[in-house]
Amino acid sequence: MCSLCSSCHSFYSKRYSRALYLGAKAIQLNSNSVQALLLKGAALRNMGRVQEAIIHFREAMRLAPCRLDCYEGLIDCYLASNGIREAMGMANNIYKTLGANAQTLTILATVCLEDPVTQEKAKTLLDKALAQRPDYTKAVVKKAELLSREQKYDEGIALLRNALANQSDCVLHRMLGDFLVAVNDYQEAMDQYSIALSLDPNDQKSLEGMQKMEKEESPTDATVELDGDDMEGSGEDGDLEGSDSEAAQWADQEQWFGMQ
């Protein structure tokens, strides 16, 4: 397997240090490899080395000015370092230069989501993106994040089910699990987390969601079993009060990066 392929495999396995090492080897073999620069930049960003990542994304952008993933990587870095102004400037420039397509609309919406003042604009942009490409996963994810913030869980479930009707994606299944937990549909939520993990066994958020639900269920099971033993062993008449456990509602978000 070549260094670039190995780097890509390591990145998606979340072994970022190895992805970084293999990406560097790929660049040694071909200094103009845009994909190697993108992988190395993404690995650096996920390791918290944002300034180094910016250098790689800028170089990739110089070599391939028409590739949107170069700009997406750079914008993600700006947002990670609270450079919202720089991110907005670049997103607006891409939008004006390349026009209103699903990708540019989603890039601009991603930045708008970072500022409460521009939340409504983000919603409009995402609706336009999904009108053009209902199957565009990044737009679906960002729209689901927005609906989660607004606690519009039924709308989020409908959006994700519609997207999953024509594709199977780890992030979409996990997000659907999160929304189902929010509406107390725990059994299907567990099913969705299981599907997500079958697609990506390294998806930590799906694993955390499943473990959270298991922890919520365990105290209830233990209480029922204890109450049964107490009633069986008791020779006295009287009322026994069982202890109720409340299921916690929760939803989490992820910043997601996908190589195009």
Side-chain angles (χ1 to χ4, degrees), residues 196-215:
L197 286 169
S198 71
L199 294 170
D200 181 4
N202 297 304
D203 187 57
Q204 190 63 30
K205 288 185 179 292
S206 294
L207 185 60
E208 289 172 1
M210 187 175 285
Q211 290 174 342
K212 223 171 197 178
M213 290 184 60
E214 289 171 350
K215 285 179 182 178

Side-chain angles (χ1 to χ4, degrees), residues 18 22 30 44 76 80 103 109 123 138 157 168 194 237-238:
R18 181 164 177 77
L22 292 170
N30 179 9
L44 285 164
D76 285 344
Q103 288 175 287
K123 183 178 180 181
K138 290 184 180 181
I157 290 170
S168 191
S194 296
D237 294 331

Side-chain angles (χ1 to χ4, degrees), residues 136-148:
Y136 187 42
T137 303
K138 290 184 180 181
V140 174
V141 167
K142 291 301 174 183
K143 181 67 181 293
E145 287 178 5
L146 181 57
L147 291 172
S148 178

Side-chain angles (χ1 to χ4, degrees), residues 165-213:
N166 299 311
Q167 62 180 314
S168 191
D169 179 88
C170 170
V171 175
L172 298 183
H173 281 293
R174 185 230 305 149
M175 294 186 84
L176 179 55
D178 293 344
F179 275 91
L180 290 166
V181 169
V183 297
N184 302 322
D185 190 344
Y186 301 114
Q187 183 56 57
E188 191 182 352
M190 185 69 82
D191 294 340
Q192 293 298 325
Y193 290 137
S194 296
I195 295 171
L197 286 169
S198 71
L199 294 170
D200 181 4
N202 297 304
D203 187 57
Q204 190 63 30
K205 288 185 179 292
S206 294
L207 185 60
E208 289 172 1
M210 187 175 285
Q211 290 174 342
K212 223 171 197 178
M213 290 184 60

Side-chain angles (χ1 to χ4, degrees), residues 10 62 83 113 193 212 214 216 243 245:
S10 296
R62 185 186 69 80
L113 284 171
Y193 290 137
K212 223 171 197 178
E214 289 171 350
E216 289 297 329
S243 59
S245 66

